[in-house]
Amino acid sequence: MDISRRAQKLEPSVTLAASAKANALKAEGKDVLSLTVGEPDFTTPKNIQQAAIQAIESGKASYYTPSAGIKELREAVVTHIERYYQLNYEAKNVIVTDGAKFALYLLFQAVLNPKDEVIIPVPYWVSYGEQVKLAEGVPVFISCAQENKFKVTVEQLEKARTEKTKLLILNSPSNPTGMIYSQEELREIGEWAVLNDILIVSDDIYGRLVYNGATFTPIATLSQAIQKQTIIINGVSKSYAMTGWRIGYAVGDETIISAMNDIASQSTSNPTAVSQYAAIEALVGEQDTVETMRQAFEARLNEIYPLFAALPGFKLEKPHGAFYLFPNIKETLLMCGYTDVTKWVDDLLAEAQVALVTGAGFGAPENVRISYATDLETLKEAAKRIEKFIETKT
Ligand code: PLP
């Protein structure tokens, strides 16, 4: 039987594909260094694990939950947002979802009509455009120059705007670039969105992973009007080393949250109960481990950035957040006699056993994404192998 046109048009996630390929080679016994995955290499903090164990043993994790998540967790999200954003919401403004990825999916399904346009600055996280297409929306990509630190400007937004523009997706700190928008830049963008009645999707998932004195400003905090115009997307995966637990959330306008909830109720029913109890402890329990992990990422970034920035042909600015480097390697490709970054990445894996993700899936075909959410030894050895690989090709 033919599969649907919708499924045929879908690009599978390049990051998941790259890490699956690296893992398959590892399983064959190959000494592969994988810098592909976007997940912390730490295990979930003990207090969070204990909360989950307790929820299982008490029996309360045995049952379906409300589709928007248990009230205690939605209230924990409200408390968390009050503490870190100084913004007031109520539980009815929150939906808990199976990861932030599904919060985005539900949002697009809930607000987009066929042909509605969604502005997505490039480079972008791999799933935005594909999820918009699944909702029959039209992704409108705006190319953001590396010279402008990969940030979109209001002039570019205004140029891309049409009467069909419904949403703008912002992701700061960004996956894949690690850049952070300043308060002033965000204020300008926020005011433009309010003026033109464009809903801001603020993907804040890396908000607590910022380094070397940089600050994360959530756009929703910049004025009441901007707050009303924003849906906050966040989750526990990155800050609490909980990628496997699959808990994310969306916060914002009650009508939109309620429409997302209706779709969730007819698709997943609810996020896994035990993970919800663990997430309460993550959001309102002891926060020291978040800072310990943040410091570990910062120390790694400071140590490995010079190694990768010095690789022949790598054009790379030091990122301020998340856990990725995103060098432009156009010159490296030329030196090595390649025209295609994907082929270079494939050969690097086959010949030097280093797995990176091609920038093509992020809309930047001259770049590669290097995740430093792995131990220092692996990162240093990977830099050495990449250097040797380039030498053998030139
Ligand atoms: N948004 C961005 C920018 C991400 O990088 C990711 C994960 O890689 C997500 C959202 C989704 O996170 P999760 O579904 O694990 O909560």
Side-chain angles (χ1 to χ4, degrees), residues 116-306:
D116 280 345
E117 293 177 3
V118 178
I119 297 184
I120 305 176
V122 181
Y124 45 74
W125 179 51
V126 289
S127 297
Y128 297 142
E130 296 306 309
Q131 289 198 356
V132 166
K133 284 197 266 167
L134 279 175
E136 297 184 64
V138 179
V140 175
F141 297 111
I142 300 185
S143 204
C144 303
Q146 187 154 353
E147 292 67 39
N148 193 35
K149 300 192 168 35
F150 299 112
K151 296 182 193 186
V152 75
T153 63
V154 167
E155 292 71 46
Q156 286 178 301
L157 290 171
E158 187 53 27
K159 235 172 152 182
R161 183 174 67 85
T162 72
E163 71 222 14
K164 291 224 163 283
T165 309
K166 196 148 188 189
L167 303 179
L168 161 67
I169 303 180
L170 286 180
N171 175 218
S172 168
S174 148
N175 173 7
T177 69
M179 66 79 192
I180 301 179
Y181 283 90
S182 72
Q183 191 163 321
E184 265 330 292
E185 289 161 340
L186 287 174
R187 191 184 304 283
E188 256 195 79
I189 294 173
E191 284 169 0
W192 171 85
V194 170
L195 186 71
N196 295 294
D197 194 21
I198 289 165
L199 188 71
I200 303 165
V201 182
S202 182
D203 182 346
D204 298 352
I205 194 115
Y206 295 100
R208 298 190 66 193
L209 296 175
V210 297
Y211 314 119
N212 301 311
T215 47
F216 157 63
T217 305
I219 193 166
T221 60
L222 293 178
S223 74
Q224 267 186 9
I226 297 175
Q227 180 186 356
K228 269 181 75 180
Q229 200 72 31
T230 301
I231 295 280
I232 297 168
I233 303 288
N234 209 329
V236 295
S237 287
K238 316 287 178 175
S239 317
Y240 299 96
M242 291 179 72
T243 49
W245 299 77
R246 309 308 304 128
I247 294 291
Y249 53 87
V251 183
D253 177 77
E254 189 189 344
T255 316
I256 296 176
I257 297 294
S258 165
M260 291 168 68
N261 188 24
D262 290 345
I263 299 167
S265 77
Q266 294 290 18
S267 48
T268 55
S269 289
N270 62 259
T272 308
V274 64
S275 297
Q276 294 190 53
Y277 288 102
I280 296 173
E281 176 62 20
L283 293 174
V284 294
E286 181 266 304
Q287 300 290 306
D288 292 356
T289 45
V290 178
E291 177 56 14
T292 309
M293 291 188 278
R294 190 201 66 77
Q295 284 177 10
F297 287 128
E298 182 177 77
R300 279 180 205 169
L301 168 65
N302 290 342
E303 192 149 347
I304 58 115
Y305 167 74

